[in-house]
Amino acid sequence: LKARPPNRPAPAGRAAPAAWVPCRRQAMLDSLFIITAAGSYVVERHFRGTTPRLVCEPLVERLRTEDQPESLPGVMCNNRRQALIHILREKMVFLAVVTQEEPPLAVFELLDRVHQVLTRYLGEVNEDTLRTNFSTVYLLLDEMIDSGLPFTTELNSLESIIAPPSAIGKVVQAVSGSSTQVLSDVPPDAAGQSGSAFGALTTALGAGTHTQIGGASAEVWWRRQNVVYASNEVYVDIVESIDCICNSNGHMVSGGVCGEIQMNSKLSGLPQLLLTLRNPGVLQNISFHPCVSLQRYERDKALSFIPPDGEFSLASYWIPDTTLNLPFNFTASVSYHAEHGKLSITANPKLAVTMQHKQMLIDKFVVNLRLPQSITSATLACQGGNIRFDEETKIVVWNIGKLEGQENKAEGTLNYSTDPKDGSPIIPSEEKSTAQLAFTIKGWAISGIRLDSCDLSGIKYSPYKASRYTTTSGKIDWRIA
């Protein structure tokens, strides 16, 4: 809804009210909580009144009793007044309380952005780092979310407003007895005033350098001003993950490739970059960073942009494709007989996993196979890696490591629990099992995307340029016959 200007007359045939009241956009979030996976509250920020912790108890109770917190639904509605939307990152739960209709994906994106910013500032997001840097965390939340709506979420803009914690900054704070300062509150010449011993200390340590707030210009608001590096470098990482569901025959039922073009720019001045892809036609459902020129991409299928400073995501894409040729062969079977069950697993690489005529290595290959609750123990043996059975979670974990050669097999015998009434074995003949696969392949992109060139203009130096490719497993579920 748009607010009617106060000087505009009312429509004909309609009485004018005493005063037109502007329609304001209501808040997206009512409150934001950061909770440990064990259900302990660490950070809470309220935007529209105070939300009692009792509202979050349905999710917290599930966290305390659930063995796998990642399996909890992202959206929970315990009543008609509030909805709980959360993400799990590094065993920390970022929870948003919403009291009106909102697109869940927008809330997920905002929560993920909060996690990315905190990771950039704190290095690792856990209970200890959050409590140690309380003032920085709350300053960031105030800048990122204004009255429950997203406000400043660009890392370069936030770093020009709030100084990231550093060892030098902590020394200066300990000497001065001050806390985290917003850079807009620090005068440019405060650190270098003549006759000030503390000013000389901060200048010598480099902790008193003032950063101007705002972008390099009104059109380039995502890049901070006056960027200078002694060594100019730019790195491009293309990271793809496979998300799919496969049936017992190895055929993909649903799935695709989720990809991201990540960059780390350490370039002085105001450079203009042009990334040319060898086969841009494979990209589908693509979204770009605001710095990318959409007109140039639509015309030439090339990415032209002035990069933000530091690490950022240039583009992300999703390629739905059920004809993907997975880089390995995998088979598994579980059978239940009268006295015990049998388990058999095989995993072998495919010779087709190559790039630039080089054999790519499948590393960190792990199989997690969930068995029914009536399985009490298992006797397992494997050729390649190590295998174990977790009696609490009922999961067989086979850690192969580097998947190479043709002799990667695992076999075992499964023992049943007994009925307390008559002592007969409980055979789970009607239950099916699933396996989750995890792996990493460096130097290879499953979609076939390739970076053709990375050209820079508007600068007078020759930077170092490098690129790499990585394919990982997202969520791969393999149904077992």
Side-chain angles (χ1 to χ4, degrees):
L1 299 175
K2 295 183 179 179
R4 186 182 302 278
N7 58 351
R8 180 175 297 180
R14 188 179 302 174
W20 290 103
V21 180
C23 298
R24 297 182 179 180
R25 173 71 166 89
Q26 294 183 351
M28 176 186 293
L29 309 184
D30 285 58
S31 298
L32 173 66
F33 294 86
I34 302 180
I35 310 171
T36 65
S40 175
Y41 293 87
V42 182
V43 174
E44 58 182 275
R45 185 72 175 88
H46 305 285
F47 308 104
R48 296 183 61 197
T50 302
T51 301
R53 293 183 178 182
L54 186 62
V55 174
C56 309
E57 283 304 309
L59 175 63
V60 173
E61 289 298 326
R62 295 283 298 274
L63 288 172
R64 291 170 179 167
T65 58
E66 189 72 26
D67 294 332
Q68 293 183 323
E70 61 274 5
S71 64
L72 294 177
V75 181
M76 297 178 60
C77 297
N78 191 49
N79 53 55
R80 295 184 177 182
R81 296 184 59 187
Q82 293 103 356
L84 307 179
I85 303 177
H86 81 279
I87 61 172
L88 179 65
R89 298 288 187 273
E90 300 175 5
K91 297 183 179 180
M92 300 297 295
V93 177
F94 292 75
L95 170 63
V97 179
V98 178
T99 58
Q100 61 182 6
E101 190 69 27
E102 292 291 346
L105 289 180
V107 181
F108 285 139
E109 183 69 21
L110 179 57
L111 294 177
D112 185 67
R113 193 61 173 171
V114 171
H115 170 260
Q116 292 178 14
V117 170
L118 292 179
T119 301
R120 179 76 168 263
Y121 271 78
L122 308 182
E124 183 181 358
V125 182
N126 54 45
E127 185 174 0
D128 293 335
T129 57
L130 290 173
R131 295 190 186 278
T132 304
N133 301 278
F134 257 148
S135 58
T136 301
V137 171
Y138 277 95
L139 284 173
L140 288 171
L141 292 179
D142 287 340
E143 292 293 337
M144 295 186 66
I145 306 174
D146 185 13
S147 301
L149 293 170
F151 187 58
T152 303
T153 60
E154 180 62 37
L155 281 169
N156 276 230
S157 301
L158 289 170
E159 288 180 345
S160 68
I161 300 173
I162 302 171
S166 63
I168 293 177
K170 291 179 180 178
V171 171
V172 173
Q173 290 177 16
V175 174
S176 64
S178 62
S179 59
T180 304
Q181 284 185 305
V182 179
L183 292 179
S184 59
D185 299 334
V186 183
D189 57 346
Q193 292 177 350
S194 59
S196 172
F198 177 68
L201 172 64
T202 55
T203 303
L205 292 177
T209 304
H210 177 69
T211 304
Q212 292 182 340
I213 294 180
S217 65
E219 293 78 15
V220 193
W221 51 267
W222 54 83
R223 183 176 177 85
R224 62 185 179 91
Q225 302 180 26
N226 305 324
V227 181
V228 178
Y229 286 99
S231 176
N232 294 278
E233 305 166 336
V234 59
Y235 301 93
V236 182
D237 288 343
I238 297 180
V239 181
E240 295 184 342
S241 62
I242 307 172
D243 296 285
C244 65
I245 299 175
C246 297
N247 60 20
S248 58
N249 297 323
H251 298 150
M252 193 175 297
V253 178
S254 65
V257 177
C258 180
E260 187 175 14
I261 303 177
Q262 302 173 355
M263 294 198 64
N264 189 357
S265 172
K266 299 180 180 179
L267 302 173
S268 305
L270 201 64
Q272 181 80 35
L273 271 70
L274 179 64
L275 291 184
T276 305
L277 303 176
R278 186 169 300 176
N279 47 354
V282 302
L283 300 182
Q284 302 179 41
N285 306 308
I286 188 168
S287 61
F288 298 104
H289 189 278
C291 66
V292 177
S293 172
L294 296 180
Q295 294 181 350
R296 182 66 181 272
Y297 178 78
E298 292 174 356
R299 186 179 73 243
D300 303 329
K301 297 300 180 182
L303 304 179
S304 176
F305 58 97
I306 297 175
D309 183 52
E311 300 178 358
F312 66 99
S313 175
L314 181 67
S316 60
Y317 52 90
W318 164 252
I319 306 174
D321 188 2
T322 57
T323 63
L324 286 174
N325 187 16
L326 296 177
F328 54 85
N329 295 312
F330 179 82
T331 59
S333 64
V334 180
S335 58
Y336 302 106
H337 306 286
E339 297 181 354
H340 52 74
K342 288 288 186 180
L343 169 67
S344 177
I345 311 174
T346 61
N348 302 305
K350 290 183 180 178
L351 298 179
V353 185
T354 59
M355 179 173 278
Q356 293 183 339
H357 307 290
K358 294 181 180 180
Q359 184 73 24
M360 297 295 107
L361 182 64
I362 303 177
D363 198 7
K364 301 179 181 179
F365 195 93
V366 180
V367 179
N368 292 306
L369 195 151
R370 181 177 293 275
L371 296 175
Q373 289 295 322
S374 58
I375 303 298
T376 58
S377 61
T379 303
L380 304 171
C382 65
Q383 297 179 2
N386 56 80
I387 190 170
R388 62 182 177 86
F389 175 67
D390 191 328
E391 296 182 358
E392 293 184 0
T393 60
K394 310 298 182 182
I395 295 178
V396 175
V397 182
W398 185 18
N399 191 342
I400 301 177
K402 295 181 180 179
L403 189 64
E404 52 188 353
Q406 300 296 323
E407 298 297 330
N408 296 289
K409 298 180 180 179
E411 296 179 344
T413 302
L414 309 178
N415 302 317
Y416 308 136
S417 60
T418 57
D419 193 330
K421 296 182 179 179
D422 54 10
S424 61
I426 302 176
I427 303 175
S429 57
E430 299 296 328
E431 297 187 41
K432 299 295 183 180
S433 299
T434 58
Q436 286 78 40
L437 310 182
F439 61 88
T440 299
I441 306 176
K442 295 184 178 180
W444 181 70
I446 189 171
S447 68
I449 187 175
R450 290 286 295 168
L451 182 63
D452 198 18
S453 64
C454 178
D455 302 321
L456 285 83
S457 59
I459 55 176
K460 297 181 180 180
Y461 51 84
S462 298
Y464 174 77
K465 299 179 287 186
S467 65
R468 61 184 179 184
Y469 306 84
T470 305
T471 297
T472 64
S473 59
K475 187 174 182 180
I476 301 180
D477 288 340
W478 206 286
R479 297 172 180 171
I480 308 301

